[in-house]
Structures are given as C-alpha cells and as structure tokens.
Amino acid sequence: MKKKRVYIMALISAAAILLTGCLKNYPEIDEPYSESISTEEPSLSGDWIPPNPVGENEKSEIIANEEVVNPGPMNDMVGTDLDGNTCTLGDIFAQNDLTMINVWGTFCGPCIAEIPDLEQLYEDYSSENFGIVGLTCDLYDFEGNVLPSSLSDAKAIVKENKVTYPILGETAEMENYLYSEYVPVTFFVDGNGNFVGESFVGSRSYYEWKGIVDEYLAGVH
C-alpha cells in the first residue's frame, strides 16, 4: 500500500512538471516557429520541484550583508547572443545585485508563455539592480554548431515578445553545470555569480516571480 502511494505521488509530481514545463531532450523541430509551437497559457499549480543537483549551493540560504569573496563558477563562461555577439556571464552578473538565469527552449510552450511576464519583471525592476539572462537550450547541436531552425525560432520568439533582456545560447559547459531534465528551469545569482536561494523548475506567473525576486533582493542588499 505504501509503495502504491509513493508511485501515485511520483505520477502527480511528474504531471505537475509537464503542465508548467517540458522535457529538455526534445526532438529537433524543423517547421517554423509560428506553425509548430504552442503558446497556450500553461496551468500554474504554484508548486515547484528542484532539478537535479547542481552542487552544494543549490539549497543555500540567503545570508544578508555577508560579503562573498570568491567568484561564482559560471563567471568565466562565455555565451553568444542571437546576433552572434559574445559576452562573459560574470560581466552580466556584476551589473546587478541579483540576476535571474532562465533556461528555456524554443519547443517549450510553457517557456514561451512566461516570457512576457519575465520581460515585464525585467522592466519593472530595472532600477532595483536586478537583471535577467535567458539561456536557449536548443540553439546548438551536440557538436556545438548553431541549428539554423532553432536560431530562427528563437529570434521570432524574442521579436514577438519584445524581449530586451540578454538571450544567449546555452553552451555545453553551461548545460553541464545547470543540468536539468526539464525546461524552463530558473536560478538566481548575486553580483559575484554565486547562487542565491533555490532553483525552480516550471513556469510561473509575474506575481509568483515578483514575490521570489522581492525576497531574494532583500537578502542580497
């Protein structure tokens, strides 16, 4: 009986994730974004399930007024935006007290559905030393080559949603560090690139993210 309950709970958890996210290892889509991608608003349960462990910092608590000396492990990672420009993640982190790292895919309806809320969040907190960087998980093939269809889809999504925060391709190095079987998956780092608080799997509404950002900003100020 106990095993049955555990099995049922596992099924419920899996179903909840699929309502607000997608499996990351999605087959490549060759059709244009406008014809192949569903942007139907996902059902939001308000619950979240952490992804596979990314290290001892995953569940670190927010410690107010504590000076962090060592830079985060992602600071030296270099990404390329959708126009081919390169930048170092540490340079983005250093511009803010708190940065949201949102890993998403062009094939993922819930990922795309929450982008307008993320853009609104980015605009509303522009004066609060808060930033967002989006990492597109399906921009490259296994050999690190750009997939033209994914690049075209990503550009269409960014244009349609009038995204102004940085969007970079998720490199193999980034993926290995921020490993998760599902997207969207979201992390927060401080100005030194060190992880803050919890990691989040699944899409959320503007007000759900706002509550989290308010709490985390209060912790790093």
Side-chain angles (χ1 to χ4, degrees), residues 12-201:
I12 293 173
S13 297
I17 291 176
L18 293 177
L19 284 172
T20 59
C22 304
L23 283 168
K24 195 171 185 180
N25 294 326
Y26 199 90
E28 181 181 346
I29 297 174
D30 295 320
E31 293 80 8
Y33 154 67
S34 60
E35 298 178 5
S36 64
I37 303 299
S38 170
T39 56
E40 181 179 352
E41 184 70 24
S43 299
L44 294 171
S45 65
D47 298 327
W48 63 272
I49 298 177
N52 293 335
V54 296
E56 63 181 9
N57 289 321
E58 179 187 328
K59 295 184 178 179
S60 62
E61 297 180 353
I62 304 172
I63 303 177
N65 302 319
E66 179 178 347
E67 183 179 357
V68 181
V69 177
N70 297 321
M74 296 187 69
N75 279 23
D76 293 331
M77 295 184 188
V78 176
T80 304
D81 67 17
L82 302 183
D83 295 320
N85 304 306
T86 60
C87 65
T88 302
L89 288 182
D91 292 339
I92 296 177
F93 302 155
Q95 297 173 15
N96 311 300
D97 291 334
L98 182 72
T99 300
M100 170 191 283
I101 303 172
N102 178 255
V103 185
W104 67 288
T106 64
F107 54 84
C108 173
C111 296
I112 298 168
E114 78 169 348
I115 286 178
D117 285 338
L118 297 184
E119 174 61 29
Q120 189 62 56
L121 196 72
Y122 181 69
E123 294 175 11
D124 290 349
Y125 282 80
S126 61
S127 62
E128 300 293 330
N129 293 324
F130 169 76
I132 300 177
V133 57
L135 301 180
T136 311
C137 71
D138 58 328
L139 195 62
Y140 303 116
D141 62 18
F142 292 115
E143 296 179 351
N145 301 309
V146 173
L147 295 168
S149 59
S150 293
L151 178 60
S152 177
D153 288 346
K155 286 184 174 182
I157 293 165
V158 166
K159 182 178 179 180
E160 181 176 327
N161 291 284
K162 301 178 181 178
V163 177
T164 60
Y165 58 83
I167 300 288
L168 310 175
E170 184 188 35
T171 65
E173 184 181 19
M174 296 174 191
E175 182 178 14
N176 288 338
Y177 191 76
L178 298 175
Y179 180 74
S180 172
E181 294 181 353
Y182 299 92
V183 286
V185 59
T186 303
F187 308 83
F188 292 87
V189 296
D190 63 18
N192 292 307
N194 292 289
F195 283 102
V196 173
E198 300 285 352
S199 51
F200 299 85
V201 167

